[in-house]
Amino acid sequence: MCEALGEFMRLTLALAARESVPLADEMALVERYLSIERVRFGARLASDVQVAPGAETALVPPLLLQPLVENAVKHGVASRLEGGCIRIDARREAEHLVVRIENPCDAEPVARRGASVGLENVRQRLRATDSGRSQLVAGRDGEMFRVVLTLADRSIGEAR
Amino acid sequence: MSAAPLLRAVLVDDEPPARALLREYLRAHTDLEIVGECGNGFEAVKVIGESAPDLVFLDVQMPKLDGFEVLELLDPGPLVVFVTAFDEYALRAFEVNAVDYLLKPVSRERLAASLEKARQRRERGKPETDLAAAQKLAADARPPGVLLSRILVKEGTQVFAPLARPTSRRSRSGRLPRRSTPSASCACIAPGW
C-alpha cells in the first residue's frame, strides 16, 4: 500500500513537470490510482479500462484524467452501497482522441457539497490550454454518469 | 481482583481496511469484545438494534446513510466514538453527546484514551456534559434554511429511504425545516410498525 502510494506520488510529480504526455503514461497513473482505491473499497470497486490500439501514443495534457476518475470513484463507488464499475474507454476518432469515463449513479442521489468542482477545473484547464480545440461533455444517461473528453491530439502536426 | 465489566462494541465503517486497523488496535484491550462489524449505515442500524452494544465506533461518511443518520434511527443507549477522516463534524458530534471524536489515521494511544473515556462515561452512567449548552452551540452553528431532503423510515431494525428528492417548486413550497430543535429528528421513525 505504501509502495503504491509512493509510486503514485512519483508518477504524479513526473507527469506534472511535462507539458503533454502520451496517453499511455496518463493511463498508467490512472491504473495506479485505481489500485490504491481498490485497497479501500475492495470488491465494491470494479474497473474496465480499454485503450484502443494507436490511442496510447496520443499526446494529452498531464493529470487531466485523474480528477475525472476520482469523481467516478466518489460518486459511482463510494456513495453507493453496492459500489460499481468504472469504465474507461480511449480511442482515436478522426483528428481527436476521445476518452469516455463512465460510472453508475444513484437514482436518488443525496446532495453533497463540492459538486462539480472537479469537472469545472478540467473544463477551465482545457479552455486555457487548448483554446477550444478540446471539449468536455458530462451528464447522466439513465443509471450511468458519463464524461466524454474530446481532445485535440497534440501528437498530430508535431510529429511532422 | 474482579475483572472490569466487559465493553461490548460494534465497528461501523464502509472501508474494510479501516475496520481491520481498529480491530487490530482494540485487541490489546481485553475488557472489550467486538460483537459486530458493519460496512454501511443500514447494517449498522440493524446490528446495533439487535446486539445492543455498550459502545459503537462510528464512521461519518458512508453511502446512503451517514453516521449521524444512523444515530437518529437508533434508540438511545450505546456510547458513541466517531471515527472519521474529516474534522468538520466535530461540533455535531458534541451535539449528539459522543464520547469522543477520532480523526483518521487513528493512533493506538489516541484510541486507548477514547476507550478510557468510554469506561468512565459508563461508570458514571449519566453524561456530565452540559447538553443544553452544547445543543445551543450546535444549533447556532447550523446554517439556516437547511431543508428536509428525504425521509427515513425505520421498521424494527430495518431502514427504508422512500422519499425522492424534491425537485419542483411546488414540492419545495410544502417543505419542512430539517430540524426545529436539535433533538427533533428529520427521520420519520416508526418503531413497532
Side-chain angles (χ1 to χ4, degrees):
Chain A
M1 180 65 185
C2 285
E3 283 171 27
L5 278 170
E7 184 66 14
F8 177 75
M9 290 301 292
R10 258 195 304 281
L11 284 173
T12 303
L13 291 172
L15 289 187
R18 293 151 69 183
E19 198 169 314
S20 52
V21 299
L23 180 68
D25 290 4
E26 182 77 2
M27 293 309 293
L29 183 78
V30 165
E31 293 275 14
R32 180 67 63 180
Y33 168 73
L34 285 173
S35 74
I36 292 167
E37 292 288 35
R38 208 166 281 123
V39 174
R40 288 176 70 196
F41 294 110
R44 284 169 64 207
L45 169 57
S47 60
D48 176 15
V49 179
Q50 304 282 345
V51 178
E56 59 273 62
T57 54
L59 291 177
V60 299
L63 310 183
L64 197 68
L65 300 183
Q66 200 274 335
L68 300 175
V69 178
E70 198 172 321
N71 266 353
V73 170
K74 189 171 140 196
H75 299 291
V77 179
S79 66
R80 289 162 54 85
L81 290 174
E82 66 277 40
C85 179
I86 315 263
R87 292 182 198 284
I88 305 173
D89 177 279
R91 58 189 63 247
R92 285 180 190 269
E93 289 179 12
E95 305 230 311
H96 288 93
L97 174 73
V98 179
V99 183
R100 293 182 179 80
I101 302 171
E102 290 182 347
N103 61 268
C105 57
D106 260 322
E108 290 180 8
V110 178
R112 300 275 185 225
R113 280 180 303 152
S116 296
V117 173
L119 279 179
E120 197 43 47
N121 283 347
V122 173
R123 270 203 190 96
Q124 285 184 9
R125 216 175 135 208
L126 285 180
R127 269 200 294 273
T129 56
D130 272 352
S131 55
R133 293 186 302 146
S134 298
Q135 63 161 339
L136 181 154
V137 178
R140 267 176 91 97
D141 182 1
E143 300 275 287
M144 300 296 283
F145 190 87
R146 182 176 297 128
V147 176
V148 182
L149 269 172
T150 307
L151 300 171
D153 180 358
R154 296 172 172 200
S155 67
I156 295 174
E158 287 174 27
R160 287 171 207 158
Chain B
M1 201 175 97
S2 66
L6 201 64
L7 271 174
R8 299 170 67 253
V10 168
L11 314 184
V12 185
D13 198 304
D14 63 329
E15 295 177 18
R19 295 201 304 271
L21 191 71
L22 269 186
R23 203 186 312 130
E24 190 194 321
Y25 287 1
L26 289 171
R27 229 181 0 222
H29 300 271
T30 51
D31 65 333
L32 182 139
E33 181 194 5
I34 298 171
V35 295
E37 287 193 26
C38 318
N40 63 61
F42 292 90
E43 277 177 34
V45 173
K46 185 168 163 44
V47 168
I48 295 167
E50 287 170 357
S51 63
D54 303 303
L55 178 61
V56 178
F57 290 94
L58 187 57
D59 187 14
V60 176
Q61 285 204 342
M62 294 184 290
K64 297 288 189 189
L65 202 62
D66 71 26
F68 289 101
E69 290 168 328
V70 167
L71 282 189
E72 288 185 5
L73 291 161
L74 286 175
D75 296 326
L79 302 169
V80 176
V81 173
F82 283 102
V83 186
T84 168
F86 305 89
D87 59 8
E88 66 207 64
Y89 306 109
L91 196 61
R92 281 185 74 193
F94 192 43
E95 174 191 340
V96 297
N97 203 23
V99 171
D100 208 348
Y101 190 90
L102 292 178
L103 273 179
K104 293 176 185 172
V106 176
S107 70
R108 287 176 196 271
E109 294 72 27
R110 189 64 186 79
L111 182 64
S114 265
L115 275 177
E116 194 44 44
K117 283 188 198 176
R119 290 184 193 106
Q120 288 174 8
R121 178 81 74 92
R122 188 174 62 167
E123 269 172 37
R124 277 197 304 271
K126 291 275 177 194
E128 100 303 4
T129 315
D130 185 349
L131 195 56
Q135 286 179 342
K136 171 146 194 340
L137 201 61
D140 290 347
R142 185 181 299 119
V146 179
L147 308 175
L148 179 75
S149 58
R150 58 186 180 139
I151 290 175
L152 299 169
V153 179
K154 185 183 171 199
E155 184 181 349
T157 54
Q158 300 269 65
V159 178
F160 303 92
L163 181 73
R165 57 237 121 108
T167 46
S168 71
R169 229 162 231 296
R170 182 172 304 186
S171 70
R172 277 171 191 238
S173 69
R175 66 204 176 184
L176 296 166
R178 180 174 157 79
R179 285 186 235 172
S180 50
T181 68
S183 60
S185 158
C186 73
C188 283
I189 302 173
W193 274 15

